[in-house]
Amino acid sequence: MTSSPPLPVKPAAPTLRSSFAHAVRGALIGIVELVPGVSGGTVALVLGIFDRLITSANHLIRGVVRLVFKRGGKGFAHHLGDVEWSLVIPLLIGMFFALFALSGPLHGFVEGQPVLSNALFLGMVSASLLVPISMARDAGPITRNTRIFGPVVVLLVAAAVFWLLGIPSMQVEDPAWWVLILSGAAAVCALALPGLSGSFILLTFGMYEPTLEAVSERDFGYLALFASGAVLGLASIVQLLAYLLRVHRRAVLLVATGLILGSLRALWPWQDNGTLLQPDGDWLGPLLAALGGATVVLLLWLRERRGTAVAASL
């Protein structure tokens, strides 16, 4: 399943309009990271910026490592120059704005309307499966082995994730400092991997409610420890992911497809602490919410594909 990645499309010169668009993309990623079961990496895939983010993060991390450990100013400047700052900075601004400004209202919606909110996100994530599938198809020539083993990889990964998400969640009342660091590392690793939800990992280990409360109440001591773990996790997973996307692109995308498919269990509207239940009598509202969420994602995906095709033709 090894294949060469497609030639990257050179990004256009930054404009006020493109910067605003990137900030909106960052806000979307920030919003979904607050929702257990929805992956920010999946949203980045749908929006067509996943590869660019991983590449920029990899250059930034390598530059910092060279500056701190190798005292190489030239190498540091070279890597920083390869970071797509016109994408990264607006994206981070939008993401942090969404995390701090919308955490309260979104948490209220998820807690107050669990069936409707899960149905909405179920439709969105289901439609987003088209993204890694189409990217895997475009990653290179499709061989007989790909046709045989590709679906097997997807189904095995999906089955593993489906089983893991059935583990009942815990609740931590007063987490120790090292728990906060480990939680930050686990959450940001999930952010970088499509199909894995950082919020759901926090929920499974009992850290979702304390972390969301810390964000809402601006508990900067808690957030500083959490962020330090996020930096450690990001430094480890991003370099590995950037390498795998270069060398085994199709395999990574097939695994991402399985992760997203298996993660749908977490979004089934009718469940009780990991146990799936049958739909109750009022299923029309959730069905319409799911269809609406799927429609939004499909429109975003088609728009991004059209924009990429136009940019590639220039």
Side-chain angles (χ1 to χ4, degrees):
M1 287 185 284
T2 302
S3 57
S4 300
L7 294 176
V9 177
K10 184 178 180 180
T15 63
L16 182 61
R17 181 177 178 180
S18 66
S19 297
F20 178 76
H22 291 326
V24 172
R25 293 181 176 98
L28 290 174
I29 294 174
I31 289 172
V32 301
E33 274 301 310
L34 293 170
V35 181
V38 187
S39 166
T42 302
V43 176
L45 270 179
V46 173
L47 298 175
I49 57 174
F50 182 74
D51 283 1
R52 294 160 63 187
L53 278 178
I54 293 297
T55 300
S56 291
N58 185 43
H59 282 300
L60 179 60
I61 292 167
R62 293 177 66 183
V64 171
V65 169
R66 179 172 289 274
L67 178 67
V68 173
F69 295 103
K70 298 185 179 180
R71 308 291 182 181
K74 184 181 295 185
F76 171 70
H78 171 74
H79 283 296
L80 284 191
D82 288 334
V83 176
E84 196 178 338
W85 295 108
S86 60
L87 167 67
V88 173
I89 292 177
L91 201 81
L92 288 176
I93 292 174
M95 186 174 176
F96 281 108
F97 171 79
L99 285 172
F100 283 97
L102 302 178
S103 59
L106 184 63
H107 182 53
F109 171 62
V110 173
E111 289 293 317
Q113 300 289 339
V115 173
L116 201 62
S117 60
N118 270 16
L120 174 66
F121 298 127
L122 178 67
M124 297 176 71
V125 175
S126 298
S128 71
L129 281 166
L130 285 173
V131 181
I133 291 173
S134 62
M135 292 175 68
R137 182 196 61 195
D138 298 338
I142 299 178
T143 64
R144 181 180 179 184
N145 286 339
T146 302
R147 291 192 183 94
I148 295 174
F149 293 108
V152 173
V153 170
V154 171
L155 293 176
L156 286 177
V157 173
V161 174
F162 188 90
W163 175 77
L164 288 173
L165 293 181
I167 300 175
S169 60
M170 301 180 294
Q171 182 63 42
V172 177
E173 297 296 336
D174 188 18
W177 63 271
W178 57 270
V179 174
L180 298 181
I181 293 176
L182 290 178
S183 299
V188 80
C189 288
L191 172 63
L193 293 171
L196 284 182
S197 165
S199 292
F200 195 86
I201 287 180
L202 293 178
L203 184 65
T204 301
F205 290 101
M207 293 298 296
Y208 178 71
E209 292 289 346
T211 303
L212 196 62
E213 182 180 354
V215 173
S216 300
E217 297 182 358
R218 312 296 192 267
D219 186 348
F220 294 108
Y222 183 110
L223 296 177
L225 289 170
F226 189 88
S228 64
V231 171
L232 292 175
L234 192 64
S236 60
I237 193 65
V238 165
Q239 294 191 69
L240 174 62
L241 194 56
Y243 168 77
L244 291 175
L245 281 170
R246 289 196 309 270
V247 181
H248 303 288
R249 181 176 180 82
R250 175 170 287 144
V252 172
L253 292 169
L254 290 173
V255 170
T257 303
L259 290 172
I260 297 172
L261 181 61
S263 72
L264 293 177
R265 171 173 183 155
L267 297 173
W268 180 248
W270 300 276
Q271 56 179 295
D272 181 20
N273 198 24
T275 301
L276 303 183
L277 307 175
Q278 292 184 354
D280 55 26
D282 185 16
W283 54 267
L284 182 58
L287 176 62
L288 293 176
L291 292 175
T295 301
V296 170
V297 170
L298 289 174
L299 291 175
L300 286 172
W301 178 60
L302 290 172
R303 183 180 181 276
E304 291 296 329
R305 282 181 68 88
R306 190 180 302 115
T308 302
V310 170
S313 64
L314 297 179

Coordinates of all heavy atoms in Angstrom, one line a residue, residues 168-253:
P168 N -16.9 1.9 29.4 CA -17.6 3.0 30.2 C -16.6 4.1 30.6 O -15.4 3.8 31.0 CB -18.1 2.2 31.4 CG -18.2 0.8 31.0 CD -17.1 0.6 30.0
S169 N -17.0 5.3 30.6 CA -16.1 6.4 31.0 C -16.0 6.5 32.5 O -16.9 6.1 33.3 CB -16.7 7.7 30.4 OG -18.0 8.0 30.9
M170 N -14.9 7.1 33.0 CA -14.7 7.4 34.4 C -14.9 8.8 34.7 O -15.3 9.6 33.8 CB -13.3 6.9 34.7 CG -12.9 5.5 34.4 SD -11.2 5.1 34.9 CE -10.3 6.1 33.8
Q171 N -14.7 9.2 35.9 CA -14.8 10.6 36.3 C -13.7 10.9 37.4 O -13.6 10.2 38.4 CB -16.1 11.0 36.9 CG -16.3 12.4 37.3 CD -16.2 13.4 36.1 OE1 -16.7 13.1 35.0 NE2 -15.5 14.5 36.2
V172 N -12.8 11.9 37.1 CA -11.7 12.3 38.0 C -12.1 13.6 38.7 O -12.4 14.6 38.0 CB -10.4 12.4 37.2 CG1 -9.3 12.9 38.2 CG2 -10.0 11.1 36.6
E173 N -12.2 13.6 40.0 CA -12.6 14.8 40.7 C -11.5 15.8 40.8 O -11.7 17.0 40.6 CB -13.1 14.4 42.1 CG -14.4 13.5 42.0 CD -15.6 14.2 41.4 OE1 -15.6 15.4 41.4 OE2 -16.5 13.5 40.9
D174 N -10.3 15.4 41.3 CA -9.2 16.3 41.5 C -7.9 15.8 40.9 O -7.1 15.2 41.6 CB -9.0 16.6 43.1 CG -8.1 17.7 43.4 OD1 -7.8 18.5 42.5 OD2 -7.6 17.7 44.5
P175 N -7.7 15.9 39.6 CA -6.6 15.3 38.9 C -5.2 15.9 39.4 O -5.1 17.1 39.6 CB -6.8 15.6 37.5 CG -7.7 16.9 37.5 CD -8.6 16.7 38.7
A176 N -4.2 15.0 39.5 CA -2.9 15.4 39.9 C -2.2 16.1 38.7 O -2.7 16.0 37.5 CB -2.1 14.2 40.3
W177 N -1.1 16.8 38.9 CA -0.5 17.6 37.9 C 0.0 16.7 36.7 O -0.1 17.1 35.5 CB 0.7 18.4 38.4 CG 1.8 17.5 39.0 CD1 1.9 17.0 40.2 CD2 2.9 17.0 38.2 NE1 3.1 16.2 40.4 CE2 3.7 16.2 39.2 CE3 3.4 17.1 36.9 CZ2 4.9 15.6 38.8 CZ3 4.5 16.4 36.5 CH2 5.3 15.7 37.5
W178 N 0.5 15.5 37.0 CA 1.0 14.6 35.9 C -0.2 14.1 35.1 O 0.0 13.8 33.9 CB 1.8 13.5 36.5 CG 1.1 12.6 37.5 CD1 1.1 12.8 38.9 CD2 0.4 11.5 37.3 NE1 0.4 11.8 39.5 CE2 -0.1 11.0 38.5 CE3 0.1 10.7 36.1 CZ2 -0.9 9.8 38.6 CZ3 -0.7 9.6 36.2 CH2 -1.2 9.2 37.4
V179 N -1.4 13.9 35.7 CA -2.5 13.5 35.0 C -2.9 14.6 34.0 O -3.3 14.3 32.8 CB -3.7 13.2 35.9 CG1 -5.0 12.9 35.2 CG2 -3.3 12.1 36.9
L180 N -2.8 15.8 34.3 CA -3.1 16.9 33.4 C -2.2 16.9 32.2 O -2.6 17.1 31.1 CB -3.0 18.3 34.1 CG -4.0 18.5 35.3 CD1 -3.8 19.9 35.9 CD2 -5.4 18.3 34.9
I181 N -0.9 16.7 32.5 CA 0.1 16.6 31.4 C -0.2 15.5 30.4 O -0.2 15.6 29.2 CB 1.5 16.5 32.0 CG1 1.9 17.8 32.7 CG2 2.6 16.3 30.9 CD1 3.2 17.8 33.4
L182 N -0.4 14.3 31.0 CA -0.7 13.1 30.2 C -2.0 13.3 29.4 O -2.2 12.9 28.2 CB -0.8 11.9 31.0 CG 0.5 11.4 31.6 CD1 0.2 10.1 32.5 CD2 1.5 11.0 30.5
S183 N -3.0 14.0 30.0 CA -4.3 14.2 29.3 C -4.1 15.2 28.2 O -4.7 15.0 27.1 CB -5.3 14.8 30.3 OG -5.6 14.0 31.4
G184 N -3.3 16.2 28.4 CA -3.0 17.1 27.3 C -2.3 16.4 26.1 O -2.6 16.7 24.9
A185 N -1.3 15.6 26.4 CA -0.6 14.8 25.4 C -1.6 13.9 24.6 O -1.5 13.9 23.4 CB 0.5 14.0 26.0
A186 N -2.5 13.2 25.3 CA -3.4 12.3 24.7 C -4.4 13.1 23.8 O -4.7 12.6 22.7 CB -4.1 11.5 25.7
A187 N -4.9 14.2 24.3 CA -5.9 15.0 23.6 C -5.3 15.5 22.3 O -6.0 15.5 21.2 CB -6.4 16.1 24.4
V188 N -4.1 16.0 22.3 CA -3.5 16.7 21.1 C -3.1 15.6 20.1 O -3.2 15.9 18.9 CB -2.3 17.6 21.5 CG1 -1.1 16.8 21.7 CG2 -2.1 18.6 20.4
C189 N -2.7 14.4 20.5 CA -2.5 13.3 19.6 C -3.7 13.0 18.8 O -3.7 12.7 17.6 CB -1.9 12.1 20.3 SG -0.2 12.3 20.9
A190 N -4.8 12.9 19.6 CA -6.1 12.7 18.9 C -6.5 13.8 17.9 O -7.1 13.5 16.9 CB -7.2 12.5 19.9
L191 N -6.1 15.0 18.3 CA -6.4 16.1 17.4 C -5.7 16.0 16.0 O -6.2 16.3 15.0 CB -6.0 17.5 18.0 CG -6.0 18.7 17.2 CD1 -7.4 19.0 16.7 CD2 -5.4 19.9 17.9
A192 N -4.4 15.4 16.1 CA -3.6 15.3 14.9 C -4.1 14.1 14.0 O -3.8 14.0 12.9 CB -2.2 15.1 15.2
L193 N -4.8 13.1 14.6 CA -5.2 11.9 13.9 C -6.7 12.0 13.6 O -7.5 12.0 14.5 CB -4.9 10.7 14.8 CG -3.4 10.4 15.0 CD1 -3.3 9.3 16.1 CD2 -2.7 10.0 13.8
P194 N -7.0 12.0 12.3 CA -8.4 12.0 11.9 C -9.2 10.8 12.4 O -8.7 9.7 12.4 CB -8.4 12.0 10.4 CG -7.0 12.5 10.0 CD -6.1 12.0 11.1
G195 N -10.4 11.0 13.0 CA -11.2 9.9 13.5 C -11.0 9.7 15.0 O -11.9 9.1 15.6
L196 N -10.0 10.3 15.6 CA -9.9 10.2 17.0 C -10.2 11.5 17.6 O -9.7 12.5 17.3 CB -8.4 9.8 17.4 CG -8.0 8.4 17.3 CD1 -6.6 8.2 17.8 CD2 -8.9 7.4 18.1
S197 N -11.2 11.5 18.6 CA -11.6 12.7 19.2 C -10.9 12.9 20.5 O -10.9 12.1 21.4 CB -13.1 12.6 19.5 OG -13.5 13.6 20.3
G198 N -10.2 14.1 20.6 CA -9.6 14.4 21.9 C -10.5 14.5 23.0 O -10.3 14.1 24.1
S199 N -11.7 15.1 22.7 CA -12.7 15.3 23.8 C -13.2 13.9 24.3 O -13.5 13.7 25.5 CB -13.9 16.1 23.3 OG -13.5 17.4 23.0
F200 N -13.4 13.0 23.3 CA -13.9 11.7 23.8 C -12.8 10.9 24.6 O -13.2 10.2 25.5 CB -14.3 10.8 22.6 CG -15.1 9.6 23.0 CD1 -16.5 9.8 23.1 CD2 -14.6 8.4 23.2 CE1 -17.3 8.7 23.5 CE2 -15.3 7.3 23.6 CZ -16.7 7.5 23.8
I201 N -11.6 11.1 24.2 CA -10.5 10.4 25.0 C -10.5 11.0 26.4 O -10.4 10.3 27.4 CB -9.1 10.7 24.4 CG1 -9.0 9.8 23.1 CG2 -8.0 10.4 25.3 CD1 -7.7 9.9 22.4
L202 N -10.7 12.3 26.5 CA -10.8 13.0 27.9 C -12.0 12.5 28.6 O -12.0 12.2 29.8 CB -10.8 14.5 27.7 CG -9.6 15.2 27.2 CD1 -9.8 16.7 27.0 CD2 -8.4 14.9 28.1
L203 N -13.1 12.3 27.9 CA -14.4 11.8 28.5 C -14.2 10.4 29.0 O -14.6 10.0 30.1 CB -15.5 11.9 27.5 CG -16.9 11.5 28.0 CD1 -17.4 12.5 29.1 CD2 -17.9 11.4 26.9
T204 N -13.5 9.5 28.2 CA -13.3 8.1 28.6 C -12.5 8.0 29.9 O -12.8 7.2 30.8 CB -12.6 7.4 27.5 OG1 -13.4 7.4 26.3 CG2 -12.4 5.9 27.9
F205 N -11.5 8.9 30.1 CA -10.6 8.9 31.2 C -11.0 9.8 32.3 O -10.3 10.1 33.3 CB -9.2 9.1 30.8 CG -8.6 8.0 30.0 CD1 -8.5 8.1 28.6 CD2 -8.1 6.9 30.6 CE1 -7.9 7.1 27.9 CE2 -7.6 5.8 29.9 CZ -7.5 6.0 28.5
G206 N -12.3 10.4 32.2 CA -12.8 11.2 33.3 C -12.3 12.6 33.3 O -12.4 13.3 34.4
M207 N -11.6 13.1 32.3 CA -11.0 14.4 32.3 C -11.8 15.5 31.4 O -11.3 16.6 31.3 CB -9.6 14.3 31.8 CG -8.6 13.5 32.7 SD -8.5 14.3 34.3 CE -7.7 15.8 33.8
Y208 N -12.9 15.1 30.8 CA -13.6 16.0 30.0 C -14.3 17.1 30.8 O -14.1 18.3 30.5 CB -14.6 15.2 29.2 CG -15.5 16.1 28.3 CD1 -14.9 16.7 27.1 CD2 -16.8 16.4 28.5 CE1 -15.7 17.5 26.3 CE2 -17.6 17.2 27.7 CZ -17.0 17.7 26.6 OH -17.8 18.5 25.8
E209 N -15.0 16.8 31.8 CA -15.7 17.8 32.6 C -14.7 18.7 33.3 O -14.9 19.9 33.2 CB -16.6 17.1 33.6 CG -17.8 16.3 33.0 CD -18.8 17.3 32.4 OE1 -18.8 18.5 32.8 OE2 -19.7 16.9 31.7
P210 N -13.7 18.2 34.0 CA -12.7 19.1 34.6 C -12.0 20.1 33.6 O -11.8 21.3 33.9 CB -11.7 18.2 35.3 CG -12.4 16.9 35.5 CD -13.4 16.8 34.3
T211 N -11.7 19.6 32.4 CA -11.0 20.4 31.4 C -12.0 21.5 30.9 O -11.6 22.6 30.7 CB -10.4 19.5 30.3 OG1 -9.6 18.5 30.9 CG2 -9.7 20.4 29.3
L212 N -13.2 21.1 30.6 CA -14.1 22.0 30.0 C -14.5 23.1 31.1 O -14.6 24.3 30.8 CB -15.4 21.3 29.6 CG -16.4 22.1 28.7 CD1 -15.7 22.4 27.4 CD2 -17.6 21.3 28.4
E213 N -14.5 22.7 32.3 CA -14.8 23.7 33.4 C -13.6 24.6 33.6 O -13.8 25.8 33.8 CB -15.0 22.9 34.7 CG -15.3 23.8 35.9 CD -15.5 23.0 37.2 OE1 -15.6 21.8 37.1 OE2 -15.7 23.7 38.3
A214 N -12.4 24.1 33.4 CA -11.2 24.9 33.5 C -11.1 26.0 32.4 O -10.8 27.1 32.6 CB -9.9 24.1 33.5
V215 N -11.6 25.6 31.2 CA -11.6 26.5 30.0 C -12.7 27.6 30.3 O -12.4 28.8 30.1 CB -11.9 25.7 28.7 CG1 -12.2 26.7 27.6 CG2 -10.8 24.8 28.4
S216 N -13.9 27.2 30.8 CA -14.9 28.1 31.0 C -14.6 29.1 32.1 O -15.0 30.3 32.0 CB -16.2 27.4 31.4 OG -16.6 26.5 30.3
E217 N -13.9 28.6 33.2 CA -13.6 29.5 34.3 C -12.2 30.1 34.2 O -11.8 30.8 35.2 CB -13.7 28.6 35.6 CG -15.1 28.1 35.9 CD -15.2 27.3 37.2 OE1 -14.1 27.2 37.8 OE2 -16.3 26.9 37.5
R218 N -11.5 29.9 33.1 CA -10.2 30.5 32.9 C -9.2 30.1 34.0 O -8.5 31.0 34.5 CB -10.3 32.1 32.8 CG -11.4 32.6 31.9 CD -11.1 32.3 30.4 NE -12.0 33.0 29.5 CZ -13.2 32.6 29.1 NH1 -13.6 31.4 29.5 NH2 -13.9 33.3 28.3
D219 N -9.1 28.8 34.3 CA -8.2 28.3 35.3 C -6.9 28.1 34.6 O -6.5 27.0 34.1 CB -8.7 27.0 35.8 CG -7.9 26.4 37.0 OD1 -6.8 27.0 37.2 OD2 -8.3 25.5 37.6
F220 N -6.0 29.2 34.6 CA -4.8 29.2 33.8 C -3.7 28.2 34.3 O -2.9 27.8 33.6 CB -4.3 30.6 33.6 CG -5.2 31.5 32.8 CD1 -5.9 32.5 33.4 CD2 -5.3 31.3 31.4 CE1 -6.8 33.3 32.7 CE2 -6.2 32.1 30.7 CZ -6.9 33.1 31.3
G221 N -3.8 28.0 35.6 CA -2.8 27.0 36.2 C -3.1 25.6 35.6 O -2.2 24.9 35.2
Y222 N -4.3 25.2 35.6 CA -4.8 23.9 35.1 C -4.4 23.9 33.6 O -3.8 22.9 33.1 CB -6.3 23.8 35.3 CG -6.9 22.5 34.8 CD1 -7.4 21.5 35.7 CD2 -7.0 22.2 33.4 CE1 -8.0 20.4 35.3 CE2 -7.6 21.0 33.0 CZ -8.1 20.1 33.9 OH -8.7 18.9 33.5
L223 N -4.8 25.0 32.9 CA -4.6 25.0 31.4 C -3.1 25.0 31.0 O -2.7 24.5 30.0 CB -5.3 26.2 30.8 CG -6.8 26.2 31.0 CD1 -7.4 27.5 30.4 CD2 -7.4 25.0 30.3
A224 N -2.2 25.6 31.9 CA -0.8 25.6 31.6 C -0.2 24.2 31.6 O 0.6 23.8 30.8 CB -0.1 26.5 32.6
L225 N -0.6 23.4 32.6 CA -0.1 22.0 32.7 C -0.7 21.2 31.6 O 0.0 20.4 30.9 CB -0.6 21.4 34.0 CG 0.1 21.9 35.3 CD1 -0.5 21.4 36.6 CD2 1.6 21.5 35.3
F226 N -2.0 21.4 31.2 CA -2.6 20.7 30.1 C -1.9 21.0 28.8 O -1.6 20.2 28.0 CB -4.1 21.1 30.1 CG -4.9 20.2 29.1 CD1 -5.4 19.0 29.5 CD2 -5.1 20.6 27.8 CE1 -6.2 18.3 28.6 CE2 -5.8 19.9 26.9 CZ -6.4 18.7 27.3
A227 N -1.6 22.3 28.6 CA -0.9 22.8 27.4 C 0.5 22.2 27.3 O 1.0 21.9 26.2 CB -0.9 24.3 27.3
S228 N 1.2 22.1 28.4 CA 2.6 21.5 28.4 C 2.5 20.1 27.9 O 3.4 19.7 27.1 CB 3.2 21.6 29.7 OG 2.6 20.8 30.7
G229 N 1.5 19.3 28.3 CA 1.4 18.0 27.8 C 1.0 18.0 26.4 O 1.5 17.1 25.6
A230 N 0.2 18.9 25.9 CA -0.2 19.0 24.5 C 1.1 19.3 23.7 O 1.2 18.7 22.6 CB -1.2 20.1 24.3
V231 N 2.0 20.1 24.1 CA 3.2 20.4 23.4 C 4.0 19.1 23.2 O 4.6 18.8 22.1 CB 4.0 21.5 24.0 CG1 5.4 21.6 23.4 CG2 3.2 22.8 23.9
L232 N 4.2 18.4 24.3 CA 4.9 17.1 24.3 C 4.3 16.1 23.3 O 5.0 15.5 22.5 CB 5.0 16.5 25.7 CG 5.9 17.3 26.7 CD1 5.8 16.6 28.1 CD2 7.3 17.4 26.3
G233 N 3.0 16.0 23.4 CA 2.3 15.0 22.5 C 2.4 15.5 21.0 O 2.6 14.6 20.2
L234 N 2.3 16.8 20.8 CA 2.4 17.3 19.4 C 3.7 17.0 18.8 O 3.9 16.7 17.7 CB 2.0 18.8 19.4 CG 1.8 19.4 18.1 CD1 0.5 18.8 17.4 CD2 1.6 20.9 18.2
A235 N 4.8 17.3 19.6 CA 6.1 17.1 19.1 C 6.4 15.6 18.7 O 7.2 15.4 17.8 CB 7.1 17.5 20.2
S236 N 5.8 14.7 19.4 CA 6.0 13.3 19.1 C 5.2 12.8 17.9 O 5.7 12.2 17.0 CB 5.8 12.4 20.3 OG 4.4 12.6 20.7
I237 N 3.9 13.1 17.9 CA 3.0 12.5 16.9 C 3.1 13.2 15.6 O 3.0 12.5 14.5 CB 1.6 12.5 17.4 CG1 0.7 11.7 16.6 CG2 1.0 14.0 17.4 CD1 1.0 10.2 16.6
V238 N 3.4 14.5 15.5 CA 3.4 15.2 14.3 C 4.5 14.7 13.4 O 4.3 14.5 12.2 CB 3.4 16.7 14.5 CG1 3.8 17.5 13.2 CG2 2.1 17.2 15.0
Q239 N 5.7 14.6 13.9 CA 6.9 14.2 13.1 C 6.6 12.8 12.5 O 6.9 12.5 11.4 CB 8.1 14.2 13.9 CG 8.5 15.6 14.3 CD 9.9 15.7 14.9 OE1 10.9 15.5 14.2 NE2 10.0 16.0 16.2
L240 N 6.1 11.9 13.4 CA 5.8 10.5 12.9 C 4.7 10.6 11.8 O 4.8 9.9 10.7 CB 5.3 9.6 14.0 CG 4.8 8.2 13.7 CD1 6.0 7.4 13.1 CD2 4.3 7.5 14.9
L241 N 3.7 11.4 12.0 CA 2.6 11.4 11.0 C 3.1 12.1 9.7 O 2.7 11.6 8.6 CB 1.4 12.2 11.6 CG 0.1 12.1 10.9 CD1 -0.3 10.7 10.7 CD2 -1.0 12.9 11.6
A242 N 3.9 13.1 9.8 CA 4.4 13.7 8.6 C 5.3 12.7 7.8 O 5.2 12.7 6.5 CB 5.3 14.9 8.9
Y243 N 6.1 11.9 8.5 CA 6.9 10.9 7.8 C 6.0 9.8 7.1 O 6.2 9.5 5.9 CB 7.8 10.2 8.8 CG 8.5 8.9 8.2 CD1 9.5 9.0 7.4 CD2 8.0 7.7 8.6 CE1 10.1 7.9 6.8 CE2 8.6 6.5 8.1 CZ 9.6 6.6 7.2 OH 10.2 5.5 6.7
L244 N 5.0 9.4 7.8 CA 4.1 8.3 7.3 C 3.3 8.8 6.1 O 3.0 8.1 5.2 CB 3.1 7.8 8.4 CG 3.8 7.0 9.5 CD1 2.8 6.7 10.6 CD2 4.5 5.7 9.0
L245 N 2.9 10.1 6.1 CA 2.1 10.7 5.0 C 3.0 10.8 3.8 O 2.5 10.7 2.7 CB 1.6 12.1 5.4 CG 0.3 12.1 6.3 CD1 0.0 13.5 6.7 CD2 -0.9 11.5 5.5
R246 N 4.3 10.9 3.9 CA 5.2 11.0 2.8 C 5.5 9.6 2.2 O 5.5 9.4 1.0 CB 6.5 11.6 3.2 CG 6.5 13.1 3.4 CD 7.9 13.7 3.4 NE 8.8 13.0 4.3 CZ 9.0 13.3 5.6 NH1 8.3 14.3 6.1 NH2 9.9 12.6 6.3
V247 N 5.7 8.6 3.1 CA 6.1 7.3 2.7 C 5.0 6.3 2.5 O 5.0 5.5 1.6 CB 7.2 6.8 3.7 CG1 7.7 5.4 3.3 CG2 8.3 7.7 3.9
H248 N 4.0 6.4 3.4 CA 2.9 5.4 3.3 C 1.5 6.2 3.3 O 0.7 5.9 4.1 CB 2.9 4.4 4.5 CG 4.2 3.7 4.6 ND1 4.6 2.6 3.7 CD2 5.3 3.8 5.4 CE1 5.7 2.2 4.0 NE2 6.2 2.8 5.1
R249 N 1.4 7.0 2.4 CA 0.2 7.9 2.4 C -1.1 7.2 2.3 O -2.0 7.4 3.1 CB 0.3 8.9 1.2 CG -0.8 9.9 1.2 CD -0.7 10.9 0.0 NE -1.8 11.8 0.0 CZ -1.9 12.9 0.7 NH1 -0.9 13.2 1.6 NH2 -2.9 13.7 0.6
R250 N -1.2 6.2 1.4 CA -2.5 5.5 1.3 C -2.8 4.7 2.5 O -4.0 4.7 3.0 CB -2.5 4.6 0.0 CG -3.7 3.7 -0.1 CD -3.8 3.0 -1.4 NE -4.1 4.0 -2.5 CZ -3.6 3.9 -3.7 NH1 -2.8 2.9 -4.0 NH2 -4.0 4.7 -4.6
A251 N -1.8 4.1 3.1 CA -2.0 3.3 4.3 C -2.5 4.2 5.4 O -3.4 3.8 6.2 CB -0.7 2.6 4.7
V252 N -1.9 5.4 5.6 CA -2.4 6.3 6.6 C -3.8 6.7 6.4 O -4.6 6.7 7.4 CB -1.5 7.5 6.7 CG1 -2.0 8.6 7.6 CG2 0.0 7.1 7.1
L253 N -4.2 7.0 5.2 CA -5.5 7.4 4.9 C -6.6 6.2 5.1 O -7.7 6.5 5.5 CB -5.6 7.9 3.5 CG -4.9 9.2 3.2 CD1 -4.8 9.5 1.7 CD2 -5.5 10.4 4.0

